[in-house]
Amino acid sequence: MTPPPPADPRDLDRLGPVLIVGTGLIGASIGCALTSQGVEVHLSDLSPANAIVASSRGAGALEQLAPDTYRLVIVATPPAAVAPIVLERLRRHPNAIVTDVASVKESVLADLEGSGADLSRYVGSHPMSGTQFTGPITAAPELFVDRTWVVTPRPGNSPAGVERVRRLARVCGARVVSLAPHEHDTAVAEVSHLPHLMSILTGASLRHAEPGHLDLAGGGIRDVTRIARSQTGMWRQILTANRTAVRHQLEGVRDDLETLLDVLDDPDELEGFLEVGRTGARSVGGKHGREAVDTVSVIVEIPDSPGALARLFADVEKAGVNVEDLSVEHDRSRETGFLSIDVDPGRAADLRAWMKGHGWGLRS
Amino acid sequence: MTPPPPADPRDLDRLGPVLIVGTGLIGASIGCALTSQGVEVHLSDLSPANAIVASSRGAGALEQLAPDTYRLVIVATPPAAVAPIVLERLRRHPNAIVTDVASVKESVLADLEGSGADLSRYVGSHPMSGTQFTGPITAAPELFVDRTWVVTPRPGNSPAGVERVRRLARVCGARVVSLAPHEHDTAVAEVSHLPHLMSILTGASLRHAEPGHLDLAGGGIRDVTRIARSQTGMWRQILTANRTAVRHQLEGVRDDLETLLDVLDDPDELEGFLEVGRTGARSVGGKHGREAVDTVSVIVEIPDSPGALARLFADVEKAGVNVEDLSVEHDRSRETGFLSIDVDPGRAADLRAWMKGHGWGLRS
């Protein structure tokens, strides 16, 4: 239970009292994060057992304050229940900003707008986090640290109301991104819902395989199918709520699949297609989807004696630079070998200086 | 550099001298594994620099023995070069069994058979291992430990010849699976080549995304696209060599994709499809693709007091059973809560006994 780093006192100022409605993994974890920062949190759940578990994990208090006391209400129920509960809470808590944590925003908003209610105090949000677990038992205050938390303001919101939800996200340790609801839904279809369905399709293809063939499964297929192993009930709701954007993504894959079938017999065109996929994959390869797309090679001359080569490996390791790839190149004209060390462009100069300082010959 | 566990002396008996032709990651790592078991290994590579690096990693000696001395020749060159080099080595080493490590077997065999040569001493194999690296620099003797090594015998092989290749695999610490060449290629299309292309297709879909949307990428898409980040040159060769089986797999996905688009607006049918994918994903979920497909729930009554609940969590953790999922259930008729602990079916009895022994009430 590592709490998020201490929040900016300005973010904490009069953020609470907070009411969390729905104490599953996300709601309870928000509670744990807030209480770890000293924010006053109260919990409400249709299932008393869930609320008790969440409270025992440190997510907040079970007793309730007067309804007009809350400054922030977080609706963290399953997606299908979000809109009616947001409407109810807007009515009951006249001094509160009401937010939700649903992973699809447009359909919630459409339901809310259809009600005709005043939505000026409703500011949608989506903390992008999750584990294979679903209940409050594995709630943890660090669940949002360094994760993205999308806030989806609407034209009718007050700047102060939007800022209150942004402060909530920052206090939980998250990186805040603001997107319009429609754009949010497009983005999660691209980076979350489509990948989930690609994982599902890969898993589904295995139903045709002989059981003995599964013995040949290695790390690659386990990576691709990992997210398909999660519970289907939540994904049914998410995909249904975002089905327009998801359909658009799937149709794009259908087109690409036809292209792939067309180029399968032409190695050059096939490799071109593989490069398109590789470039996309590398664009989300980093810890925060922000790592450099490409690497730079630092090329060191390999000395004649095998003993010196062992020293060369050792010095590369000691340089403390993360090596993305290593290869040996042979220069036929000079009968010399070179070691090519691929590293992040930002670290290449460091590695060059280090290797030079340790007496190695570099090819510029 | 952890060597594989000591081999059975019967497997080591007159296994060598071994000649490894091609000292990339796989060839050099086989060399390291064999020398760590005391087998005599010699190395050959078109690139002297590669062979020198491999030898300095402990893969074997650079000098060559008389050609008729070798008992086993391992051709570990890039796929496109395998067939001609196997033929050359069958001619040059009359006392050796010749094997290769190519990841597609039928096309190699077709090329060999087309030559009209006597192939009784050729036994194909495929050690299923690999990292993001490609050269001998990261060669390691443990690369094959607990990995699958497929041996693909042909009708004309002698049992002793097939056994010599199986011994090679066991000495390297691998689990040996025997498959006919055609069946091997079908199996790797299912569990390796198709998943690679699904990862590529997912990566390719990102070319349409706004750069800012990639900020929302989380662990899920990074898992799905991880293998698409690897070098395309090798995959071009693998997919081209196995394109018939790969095409069949892709056509199956095309059909499933149409089904998925059809059911996207029907939540029940959609969830049914998600379950098919989840079942397949779970069938390869374990470390060796052998983990139980399903879990069993052990259900413990949650006591009234929050203090007791903390003890309950602690006891579940101390049980030392790997927990796949946890959930809280509320029994409305009795106003009681239950903790449902999902575990491997083989461990459920242990967990039940442990919890009972620590005074917890179980729901049978």
Side-chain angles (χ1 to χ4, degrees), chain A residues 265-282:
Chain A
D265 291 330
D266 182 322
D268 286 339
E269 288 198 66
L270 172 62
E271 186 166 0
F273 191 91
L274 298 177
E275 279 297 341
V276 171
R278 183 181 187 224
T279 302
R282 287 163 70 99

Side-chain angles (χ1 to χ4, degrees), chain A residues 42-54:
Chain A
H42 298 259
L43 305 174
S44 170
D45 198 299
L46 278 179
S47 153
N50 255 358
I52 289 169
V53 170

